[in-house]
Amino acid sequence: MKMSRISPQSLYILDDDQHYATLLEQMAEKCGWQVISEQSALRFLEFDLPSSMVLVLDLVMPELDGIEVIRELIKRRINLTLILISGVDKRTLHSAQLLAQAYSINVTACFSKPVRLKEFCEILNTIREVQVSSKGAEEDPVFSKEDLKVGIEKQQFTIYYQPQICLKTNMLIGVEALVRWHHPKHGLVHPGYFISMAEKEGLISLLTNQVVSMVAQDNAMLNTIFGKDIMISINISANDIISLSLPDQLNHLLSEYSIDPKNITFEITESAVMTNLVSFLDVLNRLSLKGFSLSIDDFGTGFSSLSLLYQAPFSELKIDQSFVGRMLHDAEAMIIVEVCILLAKKMGMKIVAEGIEDEKTLSALKSLGCDVGQGYFIGKPMPIKDIDIWKNQRSTDL
Ligand code: C2E
Ligand code: MG
Ligand code: MG
């Protein structure tokens, strides 16, 4: 049967189990959704599917499994919001969820059978609220190489600083410098929209130089605000590290402002494009010999591996925020956080948790012995002019 195009408020259910499909369909209809239910994956894929859809998907089905269906929908460039349902064990469901997320699909919920219908309804209501509130929202900005070049030439970039605190004493010990683009048309643009393009288009080293210069200029004011020399962490891209002259270049930029390398940490995320391991290690070793600290950022994600940790002179490990953010609700994320802390301690490294969004996560990390914390709960990234306010606010909170 061919289906005609239906509005995005429709809900698709694909489950080979007739009993379940009917139950979920009835619940969804009660919640006000228009439901299209199908038991055969092959027939479902024959539908004239819309470009954006909410799909309740069973993972285990006889003709095609849920992963194959997801892959096919991605091929058709369908913008998916998924609710995964399955009778398989929790670990398989969990890893299917992560796989879907890796395909950049929004997985709103995962349910093991039997599904708790009340929770199912709550999820459907949340999806609808998000759909309604995002209607009319601005599209994400897209930039060309030329835009970025102009932005760099006109020095439209600025630095936001996010505080890092010692989890034993609650005292501020440093800040992470995070670049922002003051775009004349789009306003304040986050790095997620331009860093990978800068890397691909060969503009990252120009941007890095600007970032390091701005940080160097801000350094004295930051030290004055906090009344002591603080640590500043700067993100550098793995593409920057291709150049063997980088350590001298960075040293030169910072020494113009008499900044002691021991107060600077370079955060590095290993990247897929890291083709020449020997020069990568050469640069990292020389940065370390010059007295800079090196931090392995987003540790535990696809590109930050144990072998890099083993080979390069990192003195700090940053647990990725995807684990920190989930650690209280996801047993596997918690285990990864615990193991990262243990690993860093055993290797004599400083361990930093980023992405701390609430008090419970902060105190859990404290009791696990994590050294340093960073996240919205402590302080959001902010322009240098706001740091004083943050500091004064915080000293009254403590
Ligand atoms: P990152 O180095 O891992 O930085 C942490 C990111 O997490 C920042 O996003 C920060 O704003 C965000 N964040 C901090 N606390 C929380 C929290 O509690 N919850 C949530 N949800 N997010 C939190 P931002 O500033 O958008 O930067 C994204 C990434 O862009 C950075 O990830 C870094 O990899 C890259 N980046 C930022 N500045 C630079 C730069 O100057 N050069 C290079 N090469 N990369 C940069
Ligand atoms: Mg970082
Ligand atoms: Mg990170």
Side-chain angles (χ1 to χ4, degrees), residues 258-373:
S258 316
I259 295 170
D260 189 338
K262 80 173 189 329
N263 293 323
I264 299 289
T265 300
F266 290 114
E267 294 190 2
I268 293 132
T269 309
E270 189 185 356
S271 133
V273 294
M274 212 185 69
T275 44
N276 189 341
L277 185 66
V278 177
S279 49
F280 191 83
L281 292 177
D282 181 309
V283 169
L284 293 187
N285 272 294
R286 287 186 47 244
L287 283 170
S288 173
L289 288 173
K290 287 185 187 301
F292 297 108
S293 300
L294 299 178
S295 172
I296 183 161
D297 205 354
D298 303 338
F299 189 75
T301 59
F303 297 129
S304 282
S305 68
L306 285 173
S307 75
L308 187 66
L309 187 64
Y310 173 65
Q311 293 177 79
F314 288 106
S315 54
E316 177 183 293
L317 187 156
K318 280 188 102 168
I319 318 172
D320 189 60
Q321 51 179 286
S322 59
F323 303 117
V324 175
R326 293 182 189 142
M327 62 184 273
L328 295 184
H329 315 285
D330 180 331
E332 270 120 357
M334 176 60 111
I335 293 168
I336 289 171
V337 171
E338 287 170 354
V339 169
C340 285
I341 295 174
L342 192 69
L343 177 68
K345 300 247 164 213
K346 287 244 173 200
M347 294 192 68
M349 295 167 75
K350 191 202 279 181
I351 175 95
V352 182
E354 64 181 346
I356 303 174
E357 292 189 352
D358 53 61
E359 195 165 12
K360 280 193 179 146
T361 307
L362 181 75
S363 51
L365 286 160
K366 279 183 182 177
S367 37
L368 289 172
C370 184
D371 301 318
V372 178

Side-chain angles (χ1 to χ4, degrees), residues 160-336:
Y160 273 41
Y161 293 95
Q162 186 175 33
Q164 295 187 329
I165 60 163
C166 166
L167 292 181
K168 270 206 193 91
T169 61
N170 283 330
M171 302 286 281
L172 178 122
I173 47 171
V175 290
E176 178 173 4
L178 295 157
V179 69
R180 302 285 183 262
W181 186 357
H182 263 305
H183 193 274
K185 181 165 158 238
H186 296 284
L188 198 68
V189 180
H190 284 245
Y193 293 105
F194 57 85
I195 291 289
S196 57
M197 211 233 306
E199 290 174 340
K200 247 194 343 247
E201 300 291 356
L203 295 168
I204 192 71
S205 59
L206 288 175
L207 186 61
T208 302
N209 278 353
Q210 269 191 22
V211 168
V212 174
S213 300
M214 287 187 280
V215 169
Q217 286 165 40
D218 287 344
N219 176 69
M221 197 203 270
L222 287 166
N223 289 344
T224 309
I225 293 172
F226 290 108
K228 60 179 179 185
D229 284 3
I230 58 160
M231 291 292 297
I232 305 186
S233 298
I234 303 174
N235 291 281
I236 51 175
S237 151
N239 295 50
D240 284 315
I241 300 174
I242 295 166
S243 156
L244 288 173
S245 61
L246 184 82
D248 302 304
Q249 196 185 313
L250 295 176
N251 203 21
H252 177 72
L253 281 171
L254 293 162
S255 63
E256 272 184 36
Y257 289 83
S258 316
I259 295 170
D260 189 338
K262 80 173 189 329
N263 293 323
I264 299 289
T265 300
F266 290 114
E267 294 190 2
I268 293 132
T269 309
E270 189 185 356
S271 133
V273 294
M274 212 185 69
T275 44
N276 189 341
L277 185 66
V278 177
S279 49
F280 191 83
L281 292 177
D282 181 309
V283 169
L284 293 187
N285 272 294
R286 287 186 47 244
L287 283 170
S288 173
L289 288 173
K290 287 185 187 301
F292 297 108
S293 300
L294 299 178
S295 172
I296 183 161
D297 205 354
D298 303 338
F299 189 75
T301 59
F303 297 129
S304 282
S305 68
L306 285 173
S307 75
L308 187 66
L309 187 64
Y310 173 65
Q311 293 177 79
F314 288 106
S315 54
E316 177 183 293
L317 187 156
K318 280 188 102 168
I319 318 172
D320 189 60
Q321 51 179 286
S322 59
F323 303 117
V324 175
R326 293 182 189 142
M327 62 184 273
L328 295 184
H329 315 285
D330 180 331
E332 270 120 357
M334 176 60 111
I335 293 168
I336 289 171

Side-chain angles (χ1 to χ4, degrees), residues 20-56:
Y20 249 95
T22 312
L23 202 63
L24 297 176
E25 184 175 343
Q26 286 167 353
M27 283 314 283
E29 280 173 351
K30 265 195 199 156
C31 298
W33 288 76
Q34 182 186 350
V35 179
I36 301 99
S37 178
E38 178 52 66
Q39 283 158 255
S40 151
L42 290 176
R43 270 203 309 271
F44 173 78
L45 291 174
E46 281 176 15
F47 289 179
D48 180 15
L49 297 167
S51 58
S52 172
M53 69 154 99
V54 185
L55 173 65
V56 178

